[in-house]
Amino acid sequence: MDKGCMMRSIIILLLCMCCTSTVYAKGKLNVLTTTQDLASIARSIGGDKVKVSALCKGYQDPHSLRAKPSYMLKAKKADLFIRVGLELEIGYEDLIIDGSRNRKIRIGTLGHLDTSLGVMLLEAPTTQRVDRSMGDVHPMGNPHYWLDPLNAKIIAANIAVRLSELLPKYKEYFYNNLTDFDKKIDVKMIEWTAELAPYQGEKIAIYHRSWPYFFRRFGLVDVCELEPKPGICPSPGHLAEVIGIMKRDKVKAILMEVFYDEKPADFVANETGAKVIIVPNSVGGTKEAKDYFSLIDTIVNDIASALKGEKTN
């Protein structure tokens, strides 16, 4: 490359950098998240410097979202794409990013963020062979880590770091918001822990393995799942096994997400006398779960109420 050509390349690069900074400076950073949980946390950290939207609604199963042209249009306008990772979005993420033709949000760029970075993951398969015969298994670990409030602090920190890299002039603003978010989590953790403290060690049946992080944090025990394998609908034979386990262990409750069929849980409940607790596992799953804090409020309150023998719905 001759000196003239090199100089022109440098000038073009500087102009591109200036244009990018100008766009961010004039308007809000456009953030697109895969779930409403990430959107809620991104709003807490980004404040009035970001415009945030989410692909998957809280009342939808995040494992089975399908790529749509409208999602690609949203991704086309995004400055930052935030995902849960651990292959939760494996069925649609690549299709949406490819369809958007937005190079700045591709994996490996500054505009793409995986918030699982730094999280202590649970339930990574120990076998070398992982295939579809095992159900919807995530080979890097269970992806429902956002349901542990202390992991929400890690998510928030990851977002603060990335927003500061994209908008360095607002770094102090983002980190002040992170401090406020962490303080609120710490205060709420005292409240949530106290409410569930009487039930530490309580055995609960679950529909899908959304709850290992939440149960581990609050001392609850999942004894069996209604799904025979992750993502596989309950079969009569498997439900008979579940009923046997629940009767043996005197399980009082079945915890399930809002988007699964209630009939298998109702059948098991009728056979065992257990209560079915239907809760959102994401922001927006019910009208009460308006943000991350009210999501955890809802889950904690409904579990505690059910175990106390109170009506939850």
Side-chain angles (χ1 to χ4, degrees), residues 230-249:
I232 305 299
C233 293
S235 63
H238 179 71
L239 291 183
E241 293 178 16
V242 168
I243 290 167
I245 294 170
M246 291 180 63
K247 286 182 175 178
R248 181 195 67 196
D249 290 352

Side-chain angles (χ1 to χ4, degrees), residues 79-128:
D79 302 304
L80 175 61
F81 185 94
I82 305 178
R83 72 176 182 184
V84 172
L86 306 176
E87 296 192 355
L88 181 69
E89 299 97 344
I90 192 172
Y92 59 89
E93 181 188 20
D94 285 348
L95 291 171
I96 290 172
I97 292 178
D98 288 347
S100 74
R101 299 188 178 183
N102 182 354
R103 291 185 178 181
K104 64 184 176 184
I105 61 167
R106 286 195 172 280
I107 295 172
T109 66
L110 205 57
H112 187 280
L113 175 63
D114 185 328
T115 56
S116 68
L117 182 66
V119 172
M120 189 176 81
L121 302 176
L122 303 178
E123 300 186 346
T126 54
T127 176
Q128 292 183 346

Side-chain angles (χ1 to χ4, degrees), residues 36-37 40 58-59 258 279-299 302:
Q36 288 188 263
D37 312 288
S40 174
Y59 51 80
V258 296
V279 296
N281 69 342
S282 283
V283 172
T286 63
K287 65 179 188 302
E288 292 82 11
K290 295 175 182 176
D291 59 20
Y292 185 78
F293 295 97
S294 55
L295 168 69
I296 304 300
D297 277 340
T298 302
I299 298 169
D302 284 358

